[in-house]
Amino acid sequence: MFRHRWSILSLLILVICILLLVATGCDDSPVDVDEVDEGEEANFLKVGIVGPMGFVQGDHSWYGAELAKEEINAAGGINVGDKNYMIQTVMVDTNELQSVDDAVSAVERAIAVDDVDLFIGGFRTEAVLPMTEVAVDNNKIFMIAGAADRSLLEGRVDVDYDRYKYLFRIAPPNNIELVTLSFILLNEVANSVRAELGIDTPRVAILMEMLTWNEPLVQIAQQQIPAMGMEVVGVWRPSATATDISTELTEIQSQGAHIIYMANSGPVAITYGRQWGELEIPACSVGLSVENQKAGYLEATGGYGEYDMSLNTYGRAAATEKSIPFWDTFMETYDDTPSHSAGTYDALYLIKDAIENIGTIDSEALAEEIANADYEGALGRVVFDEVHDVTWGPGFVTGFSNQWQDGELVAVWPYEWSPAEGVEITYQGAVPYKIPPRVIDYWKDR
Amino acid sequence: MFSFKWGFRFMQKEFLSLPSRIIIALFVIGLILLPLFTQDPYILRIFTLACIFAIFAASWDFLAGYVGQISFGHALFFGIGAYSTAILNLRLDLPHWMTIVLGAVVAVVAGLLVGFPALRLKGPYLGLVTLAFPVMLTGIIFLFPDFTGGELGISGIARLASTRQQEYYIAVIVMITLITVLWKITVSKYGIIFHAIREDEIAVRASGINTVRYKLTAFCLSGFYAGVAGGLYAHYLRIAGPGLLDILMSFQVIIWTILGGIATIYGPVVGVFVLYPLLEYMRVVPQYRMLLFTIIVLLLVHFMPEGIANWVRDMLEKECPRCKERNVFTRRECRYCYAQIATKK
């Protein structure tokens, strides 16, 4: 008994010692830091890529940043006078979808242990708020690429500029603009229905997953759609994880809807795409679907998601000359289409340009420079407004709308988009929107 | 009476004679001296949050471990404390020491509300009812987004203190004070009644003790502690969001307590101070972080089913078969009654 206790205690002490040794060893070489050959003369700009890694939002943040880093470093890095900075990306896995304090600790660790110079990313607003507090406490630039809520910047940058001047958002356009964009897309589809099917007042079914983020959208849509010359036939709110929504879709069909206006971020988007095609629901599908944006969507829906249409931050059309090459490279490298969190790509390039313009990586000077940036990226023309939010609109970042046509995700908007009288915008590479043939067959003779 | 000699003998006989007490003393001293050795904001953050979660975990341990009122929705009190603190601070501009106390008082009221159904329910039924309360509160939060911040929560709350070191010391002092008070309650005569309610409520009632009053008191006290933790958390992270009411938050506190050592009060503190920094440490291997952590938790449950604190104490100390006093395991005879307590194999 006596020896037994001593041996267990000795073992315990040994394990603690090993852990301590490993801990001291790991401090200087965290394994989540991307490997770059650090020569004695080399200078490095350490960029923390923030996101829930292992989830599409975090992974695309990382992918976008990695692509930009590879390209910039291959071209010689960031030139600052006679110095060259190579970019080193540090994966900041925030676990933010599950724990806010975990996310904040990850950012703090990136500053204290990894000595990160600035941050890009962040997806969940509730976590991004305190993460950005830590960043500004340490005078670090935090460029949001993922979280859309306007309140991340409004009420902060404009109220206490000295403290929050380090915060920016490059993608996606904020939640208010996203709503506007989704109504524009709905209007485009309605115009197609009017023109091709001869229906003056298209009937719209609102189908949005039962989550709080789209609650305001449901309310606004019910008021706004009639004002746009359409009729709302009903609102359906399936669970975000529903595996069967055939009842809802059948009811939508029985209500005579011509268009389904949807907003689904969860797995229900797959269920929806599959059953919408499988049940041959005679209604066009438009709105926001996170799953629709992925390369594997059509396969996941068994091919039934064909003609489903969703807004996106990126598309295979030329908002600028960088848009299509970025889309193709991303697809080629990661076998996936870029989602809005891949805005890290443009963020890194924009920061590179800003550093080269001012010749320093000092956060304060960099924040001033970024605030006045006018940068053409794969997203479009990036200019920040008075609260450091990306400007949305014609001539700036507009976003895209992509539709699955003939097994490919193609950009269908902006295509002959007329935001003002006498103005028409078509991005090169965008193709016309197609009403699903079954919808035409169903409604043509009625 | 309290001469130096008396103090020395007391230390020697009562305090230094038991390794568990020495460990506690070293832990407290270590916490107090930590900022003298490191100013690293990351380390201070981890230990500050550990202090806050230790209070939260101890509150669950008191309610479930001591009184036997199993709560699966303990995040309710934490969330209410955080939200009340945030609202009071932002809307009324009250100082943080006041908002935290008032937030905890609101959590006490919540404890009363939850406590009433608990009077008629036991075991899994009580667990299910308590599980429903955070879900209900989340619904209420989303119902009044202008007041509660809705999905985004309430941000922009005043900092707990102006520097990280001050924040750390506030959390440490509050934690040590509250845990000591709670521990003293559990070893007092009231603690015995709480304990007895868990073991056999009918017998306690038959003894003429008003168990309703004690059970409601336990809910209120537990709510107060969790409310204080929630208030500290809100001021520390400067946000109170619906994520605080997640089911994960409620289960996290159970995991900390059970792995630390249930029905001990100090066990949850050990659980939090071992598991929370351990999870942070695992960031060195981000890809396998959760997997490794889960394996460690499983191993702990397997080899230390009574919890880390109890396992360590049982390894270092043994109970006298005659007088039931604890002695260091190297002793062969009891330090009180000199009964034989060890046989060398």
Side-chain angles (χ1 to χ4, degrees):
Chain A
M1 186 71 183
F2 199 70
R3 276 184 194 162
H4 176 66
R5 280 170 194 266
W6 273 119
S7 53
I8 289 179
L9 281 173
S10 312
L11 189 68
L12 191 69
I13 291 163
L14 186 70
V15 169
I16 291 169
C17 289
I18 291 169
L19 278 173
L20 284 171
L21 275 172
V22 175
T24 14
C26 283
D27 268 350
D28 295 332
S29 56
V31 296
D32 54 346
V33 175
D34 198 61
E35 283 175 19
V36 172
D37 293 331
E38 295 194 31
E40 275 182 22
E41 299 299 318
N43 295 297
F44 288 92
L45 179 75
K46 283 191 174 180
V47 183
I49 309 303
V50 179
M53 303 303 167
F55 294 88
V56 66
Q57 297 88 352
D59 288 345
H60 279 213
S61 292
W62 181 250
Y63 294 161
E66 280 294 283
L67 271 187
K69 183 202 80 179
E70 295 294 340
E71 290 172 8
I72 293 168
N73 284 351
I78 304 173
N79 305 309
V80 181
D82 53 349
K83 271 187 185 173
N84 248 26
Y85 282 92
M86 304 302 276
I87 293 174
Q88 195 173 17
T89 45
V90 178
M91 187 186 279
V92 184
D93 185 359
T94 53
N95 190 29
E96 64 198 74
L97 298 178
Q98 285 162 348
S99 169
V100 171
D101 53 90
D102 214 12
V104 183
S105 296
V107 169
E108 185 91 67
R109 183 184 195 279
I111 295 169
V113 180
D114 298 326
D115 202 19
V116 159
D117 295 304
L118 53 95
F119 294 95
I120 309 173
F123 174 72
R124 183 184 173 194
T125 303
E126 193 187 336
V128 175
L129 275 165
M131 283 196 285
T132 48
E133 289 290 345
V134 173
V136 299
D137 276 346
N138 292 278
N139 300 341
K140 302 283 182 189
I141 301 273
F142 197 119
M143 189 164 290
I144 300 160
D149 205 279
R150 177 79 169 165
S151 66
L152 285 170
L153 300 166
E154 200 171 62
R156 301 173 87 196
V157 178
D158 49 339
V159 170
D160 189 352
Y161 185 78
D162 279 344
R163 176 170 168 79
Y164 294 109
K165 64 187 169 196
Y166 307 102
L167 304 185
F168 298 87
R169 173 178 22 236
I170 192 162
N174 66 58
N175 52 341
I176 300 158
E177 308 293 10
L178 283 176
V179 171
T180 310
L181 179 55
S182 74
F183 283 133
I184 290 172
L185 299 181
L186 174 62
N187 200 44
E188 296 285 321
V189 172
N191 284 340
S192 294
V193 168
R194 287 185 188 111
E196 291 186 45
L197 303 179
I199 296 162
D200 291 337
T201 311
R203 288 192 289 271
V204 180
I206 300 171
L207 188 140
M208 297 184 182
E209 65 191 357
M210 184 62 96
L211 285 180
T212 46
W213 73 269
N214 58 24
E215 205 73 50
L217 188 54
V218 174
Q219 306 296 327
I220 298 165
Q222 289 179 83
Q223 295 161 10
Q224 189 62 28
I225 290 172
M228 292 161 69
M230 290 174 261
E231 183 192 333
V232 177
V233 295
V235 178
W236 287 266
R237 306 292 307 274
S239 154
T241 53
T243 52
D244 178 24
I245 57 165
S246 55
T247 315
E248 286 89 341
L249 288 169
T250 313
E251 205 186 337
I252 286 170
Q253 183 176 356
S254 70
Q255 293 293 323
H258 304 107
I259 302 169
I260 300 174
Y261 179 52
M262 47 82 182
N264 299 315
S265 64
V268 70
I270 300 278
T271 310
Y272 165 75
R274 191 179 63 245
Q275 295 190 327
W276 172 69
E278 203 171 24
L279 297 170
E280 298 199 330
I281 304 298
C284 305
S285 172
V286 61
L288 195 161
S289 163
V290 171
E291 294 294 334
N292 174 296
Q293 300 170 3
K294 297 180 190 169
Y297 175 69
L298 205 58
E299 199 182 332
T301 58
Y304 289 114
E306 184 84 347
Y307 299 109
D308 191 12
M309 172 180 168
S310 169
L311 64 85
N312 200 345
T313 305
Y314 290 102
R316 200 183 181 284
T320 68
E321 59 184 21
K322 295 174 184 170
S323 306
I324 294 175
F326 168 67
W327 179 276
D328 290 343
T329 312
F330 196 97
M331 276 288 285
E332 200 178 299
T333 314
Y334 300 111
D335 198 23
D336 202 355
T337 51
S339 73
H340 63 281
S341 48
T344 47
Y345 177 84
D346 280 322
L348 212 46
Y349 267 105
L350 188 149
I351 288 163
K352 168 194 177 280
D353 285 359
I355 292 171
E356 286 182 339
N357 285 345
I358 55 172
T360 172
I361 60 166
D362 172 65
S363 289
E364 194 148 333
L366 196 53
E368 297 292 338
E369 180 63 21
I370 293 172
N372 297 312
D374 189 342
Y375 164 80
E376 287 215 338
L379 281 165
R381 182 178 158 220
V382 177
V383 174
F384 295 104
D385 65 13
E386 69 282 0
V387 294
H388 292 183
D389 205 352
V390 64
T391 307
W392 180 86
F396 298 98
V397 169
T398 60
F400 296 80
S401 181
N402 299 327
Q403 186 186 25
W404 286 92
Q405 292 182 7
D406 303 321
E408 300 242 332
L409 191 60
V410 294
V412 293
W413 188 90
Y415 183 86
E416 297 179 358
W417 174 41
S418 182
E421 206 163 302
V423 181
E424 192 176 273
I425 299 172
T426 298
Y427 288 165
Q428 191 197 347
V431 297
Y433 167 75
K434 277 187 187 172
I435 295 179
R438 66 169 183 276
V439 179
I440 297 173
D441 293 344
Y442 187 87
W443 291 106
K444 199 71 179 173
D445 303 327
R446 292 179 187 234
Chain B
M1 190 168 75
F2 296 104
S3 63
F4 177 77
K5 195 177 171 187
W6 180 89
F8 179 77
R9 294 193 74 172
F10 173 80
M11 286 292 286
Q12 192 183 32
K13 194 169 172 62
E14 292 297 324
F15 198 81
L16 298 174
S17 57
L18 284 178
S20 59
R21 290 178 187 173
I22 296 170
I23 291 172
I24 290 169
L26 289 175
F27 171 70
V28 171
I29 292 166
L31 277 182
I32 291 167
L33 297 183
L34 181 71
L36 299 180
F37 295 103
T38 177
Q39 301 279 315
D40 187 333
Y42 171 61
I43 291 173
L44 293 182
R45 172 179 289 278
I46 300 308
F47 281 95
T48 307
L49 282 169
C51 288
I52 293 169
F53 288 135
I55 300 168
F56 183 34
S59 77
W60 188 85
D61 189 33
F62 175 69
L63 187 64
Y66 266 90
V67 195
Q69 306 297 298
I70 303 291
S71 164
F72 286 152
H74 213 60
L76 172 82
F77 305 121
F78 191 78
I80 283 181
Y83 265 100
S84 307
T85 298
I87 290 167
L88 288 167
N89 182 252
L90 279 181
R91 306 268 190 263
L92 302 179
D93 205 21
L94 296 177
H96 56 69
W97 62 268
M98 199 186 278
T99 58
I100 292 169
V101 173
L102 290 176
V105 170
V106 178
V108 168
V109 176
L112 264 180
L113 291 175
V114 178
F116 276 114
L119 298 175
R120 301 183 71 85
L121 296 168
K122 277 183 182 171
Y125 303 101
L126 173 63
L128 284 174
V129 167
T130 53
L131 193 60
F133 280 99
V135 181
M136 284 159 62
L137 183 64
T138 309
I140 293 168
I141 285 167
F142 291 145
L143 211 56
F144 303 102
D146 293 339
F147 188 65
T148 61
E151 193 187 6
L152 306 178
I154 301 170
S155 57
I157 308 159
R159 277 186 73 156
L160 194 56
S162 53
T163 68
R164 194 58 59 81
Q165 287 83 359
Q166 286 174 354
E167 288 179 322
Y168 171 80
Y169 275 120
I170 289 172
V172 167
I173 290 165
V174 173
M175 189 270 285
I176 291 171
T177 310
L178 290 183
I179 297 293
T180 308
V181 169
L182 199 60
W183 178 72
K184 288 300 283 180
I185 290 171
T186 58
V187 296
S188 70
K189 63 177 183 178
Y190 299 106
I192 294 167
I193 295 169
F194 285 132
H195 205 124
I197 289 173
R198 186 192 68 190
E199 294 298 318
D200 192 341
E201 191 180 340
I202 296 168
V204 177
R205 219 182 296 158
S207 309
I209 294 169
N210 184 349
T211 56
V212 170
R213 201 179 66 187
Y214 278 95
K215 278 162 77 175
L216 286 178
T217 306
F219 267 99
C220 291
L221 192 59
S222 179
F224 180 82
Y225 269 68
V228 169
L232 286 169
Y233 181 93
H235 275 293
Y236 189 61
L237 286 193
R238 304 188 66 198
I239 187 165
L244 296 179
L245 298 161
D246 271 356
I247 194 158
L248 191 73
M249 201 74 179
S250 292
F251 280 100
Q252 212 168 18
V253 79
I254 299 173
I255 293 167
W256 285 327
T257 307
I258 290 176
L259 291 181
I262 196 165
T264 55
I265 299 301
Y266 53 82
V269 180
V270 173
V272 172
F273 272 87
V274 170
L275 296 175
Y276 193 72
L278 182 70
L279 189 60
E280 271 305 312
Y281 172 72
M282 295 289 175
R283 282 190 198 277
V284 293
V285 277
Q287 307 91 319
Y288 308 110
R289 184 174 171 233
M290 292 314 290
L291 178 70
L292 275 176
F293 184 72
T294 315
I295 291 170
I296 289 171
V297 166
L298 285 173
L299 289 174
L300 286 175
V301 171
H302 184 76
F303 291 107
M304 304 176 187
E306 298 296 317
I308 302 165
N310 289 331
W311 184 84
V312 171
R313 201 171 82 148
D314 289 344
M315 289 303 296
L316 297 175
E317 297 167 6
K318 54 197 170 185
E319 200 177 72
C320 169
R322 186 197 287 164
C323 70
K324 305 298 178 194
E325 283 295 334
R326 298 195 73 85
N327 295 271
V328 62
F329 76 96
T330 49
R331 285 188 76 96
R332 312 260 173 85
E333 55 187 28
C334 178
R335 65 199 163 107
Y336 282 100
C337 67
Y338 301 104
Q340 201 72 11
I341 52 174
T343 48
K344 193 176 172 182
K345 283 184 182 174

